[in-house]
Amino acid sequence: MPKHLLALQDFTKEELLGLIDRAIVLKKESAEGKRHQQLAGKTVSLIFEKPSTRTRVSFESAMYGLGGQVIFLSSKDTQLARSEPLKDMARVMARYVDGMVVRTFGQNVVDELSAYSDVSVINALTDLHHPCQVLSDVMTVIEKKGSIEDLHIAWVGDGNNVANSWIQAAAVLGFKLTLACPEGYDPDAEILFASDKIAEKPIVVTRDPAEAVAGADAVNTDVWASMGQEDEAEGRIEIFRPYQVNGELMSKAPADAIVMHCLPAHREEEITEEVLESKQSVVFDQAENKMHIHKAILEQMLG
């Protein structure tokens, strides 16, 4: 198992499924009232340049749920805001804590921190990757649909960091993935090229949302303008309108397809209220599973 969790491409199929299997066990044990103390005496720092409700609370709850302690640092609380070299910050923080969970803009930040840190660095989101989110999403799909290798996942909307991590998950885990994105908003070309080379099943980018959801076991979407793209939001609404996950689009998918969204959702933009609140929607199970997959990740990386 790699020392750091920076991107899903760094892991084997067995390692990723091992984390998911462990998260499912931890979830079951928690529901049965079992108290976990695997990380008692350990401390993790959450270093967040980008704010988040779900990611922060789920990581904090996960660490406390394993008996550990959390130190939360926003960008204004760290030397990231004052241009301290990342290699210095990494070596100092590694002497204070047992791991760092980092939510930031550039992938270079987590890459450089990990290069100089003696403790694990966990990518809680960059503009390029969102590996922990997609692990919790895959966990949800497995819970609802069974073995991931046999499934077809659809992505509808922006080819953003979550889409990039879905592509890497498809390549490593061996499931079929179809992404419907407007022209000019495709996933990262290098990630797509590298994943295509090792993928067992097709990873397809199309302009047609109906094509993407046809035969899909799960239909996934995300906001049209991510954090840091607020100035583009109005223009993106017109471009992405044909990519809304609504009742008409879901009629093109199998009746038992599940609907996924990593939240927060802009209702009546990328997804309608009708679909988000439908029986096909599993978005709140996804949100819960973030905490359980974070437990498995922290246990593995810090234990």
Side-chain angles (χ1 to χ4, degrees):
M1 182 78 71
K3 179 179 180 179
H4 308 287
L5 198 169
L6 307 179
L8 297 182
Q9 67 185 11
D10 301 329
F11 293 77
T12 65
K13 179 177 181 178
E14 291 71 26
E15 288 167 343
L16 293 185
L17 290 178
L19 285 171
I20 292 167
D21 288 345
R22 182 58 180 157
I24 291 171
V25 169
L26 290 167
K27 180 178 180 178
K28 179 176 182 292
E29 290 178 348
S30 292
E32 294 170 348
K34 181 173 181 179
R35 187 180 181 206
H36 297 119
Q37 290 290 296
Q38 294 93 315
L39 296 185
K42 301 275 189 177
T43 302
V44 67
S45 63
L46 270 58
I47 302 170
F48 279 35
E49 281 197 285
K50 285 189 174 185
S52 170
T53 302
R54 275 153 294 275
T55 301
R56 176 180 175 178
V57 174
S58 58
F59 262 114
E60 289 191 356
S61 295
M63 190 63 179
Y64 290 134
L66 293 171
Q69 300 295 317
V70 177
I71 299 172
F72 178 80
L73 299 169
S74 66
S75 59
K76 63 183 176 60
D77 299 320
T78 74
Q79 296 300 324
L80 288 174
R82 294 182 283 276
S83 302
E84 179 184 29
L86 289 170
K87 60 184 179 181
D88 293 356
M89 178 182 172
R91 287 176 286 190
V92 170
M93 291 296 293
R95 298 188 181 211
Y96 297 154
V97 298
D98 300 289
M100 289 181 273
V101 176
V102 184
R103 183 178 171 95
T104 187
F105 292 89
Q107 182 69 20
N108 63 296
V109 175
V110 293
D111 288 344
E112 187 168 349
L113 287 173
S114 67
Y116 288 92
S117 174
D118 289 331
V119 300
S120 293
V121 174
I122 297 167
N123 179 0
L125 175 143
T126 65
D127 289 343
L128 191 61
H129 297 287
H130 204 348
C132 298
Q133 177 65 56
V134 170
L135 283 176
S136 65
D137 295 347
V138 173
M139 174 184 171
T140 307
V141 173
I142 290 172
E143 285 183 326
K144 303 297 181 182
K145 291 290 186 179
S147 178
I148 190 73
E149 299 96 328
D150 302 326
L151 302 178
H152 174 200
I153 310 299
W155 176 271
V156 180
D158 189 23
N160 61 14
N161 51 0
V162 186
N164 290 335
S165 289
W166 267 109
I167 289 168
Q168 292 189 333
V172 175
L173 297 177
F175 57 85
K176 180 181 178 182
L177 176 65
T178 307
L179 305 101
C181 307
E183 187 173 358
Y185 296 89
D186 287 343
D188 184 83
E190 291 185 10
I191 289 174
L192 190 57
F193 178 76
S195 297
D196 267 335
K197 291 201 299 184
I198 63 171
E200 297 175 12
K201 293 180 182 173
I203 300 174
V204 176
V205 177
T206 178
R207 304 290 173 230
D208 184 359
E211 178 186 343
V213 305
D217 298 286
V219 177
N220 211 329
T221 191
D222 195 3
V223 296
W224 291 339
S226 298
M227 199 175 300
Q229 299 172 332
E230 289 81 3
D231 59 336
E232 302 176 27
E234 188 174 341
R236 281 175 172 247
I237 287 175
E238 292 307 312
I239 294 168
F240 281 89
R241 197 176 299 281
Y243 293 81
Q244 183 184 73
V245 177
N246 51 33
E248 181 182 356
L249 181 63
M250 290 307 300
S251 71
K252 309 284 197 305
D256 63 347
I258 59 174
V259 176
M260 308 179 73
H261 192 306
C262 62
L263 300 179
H266 295 169
R267 295 170 188 238
E268 305 306 325
E269 288 188 14
E270 74 274 2
I271 190 167
T272 61
E273 176 90 5
E274 173 195 14
V275 172
L276 190 66
E277 296 290 352
S278 71
K279 292 181 179 179
Q280 291 175 277
S281 173
V282 298
V283 300
F284 298 107
D285 294 320
Q286 270 181 276
E288 177 188 347
N289 283 341
K290 285 171 69 75
M291 180 181 66
H292 301 298
I293 201 72
H294 293 166
K295 274 189 177 181
I297 292 166
L298 290 167
E299 181 187 57
Q300 175 63 43
M301 297 288 171
L302 278 64

